[in-house]
Amino acid sequence: MQEISVKTDRRTQLIDITQQVKDALGAANGAAAALVYVPHTTAGVTINEGADPLVAEDLANALEKVVDDSWEWKHVEDPDGPNAPSHVRSSLINPQILVPLRDGELALGTWQGIFFCEFDGPRERKVYVTALS
Ligand code: ZN
């Protein structure tokens, strides 16, 4: 397993980590898939369009509207502050993706990129990349 560090600078932010995942995988010859996993409860990882960065911005904005900060939340006692909406957004996105490998390379579609999803930034985050045989 390889570890990637991601530094976020906004509360909700999607960051393209496709190249970092490729670098972390290195020569994954013989492996069938790459597991990309986020060990956090207020972040996630997803695949979406990487060509136009505005798509990631639209997705971040949409998730902030789908789960509204102004709702009546119960999880208010957290060392990091009342971040219940961040937890819910994280579960909508999920903590992992699985990408098939073709000859050791990520078999992503032409427009696809891998995005780290921050929902309670700014923070220093981790992403685990594992080549599965
Ligand atoms: Zn919390």
Side-chain angles (χ1 to χ4, degrees), residues 34-48:
L35 176 67
V36 183
Y37 179 82
V38 170
H40 303 291
T41 59
T42 53
V45 64
T46 192
I47 292 177
N48 214 303

Side-chain angles (χ1 to χ4, degrees), residues 88-130:
V88 176
R89 290 171 190 139
S90 164
S91 272
L92 289 179
I93 287 293
N94 284 326
Q96 84 284 316
I97 55 166
L98 193 59
V99 185
L101 298 177
R102 187 187 294 121
D103 301 325
E105 304 274 331
L106 296 170
L108 291 169
T110 307
W111 306 109
Q112 286 184 316
I114 300 171
F115 290 85
F116 177 85
C117 306
E118 176 63 82
F119 297 116
D120 199 28
R123 292 188 194 223
E124 300 271 355
R125 300 293 207 171
K126 291 179 211 162
V127 180
Y128 299 155
V129 179
T130 309

Side-chain angles (χ1 to χ4, degrees), residues 4-8 10 13-23 36 44-57 97 106 108-118 127:
I4 295 172
S5 294
V6 181
K7 192 176 184 305
T8 63
R10 292 198 298 276
Q13 182 180 18
L14 271 64
I15 296 177
D16 191 331
I17 57 166
T18 311
Q19 191 56 52
Q20 287 154 278
V21 172
K22 285 179 184 173
D23 294 344
V36 183
V45 64
T46 192
I47 292 177
N48 214 303
E49 180 176 324
D52 181 359
L54 293 177
V55 173
E57 211 174 304
I97 55 166
L106 296 170
L108 291 169
T110 307
W111 306 109
Q112 286 184 316
I114 300 171
F115 290 85
F116 177 85
C117 306
E118 176 63 82
V127 180

Side-chain angles (χ1 to χ4, degrees), residues 75 78 83 87:
H75 168 69
D78 187 301
N83 58 2
H87 288 289

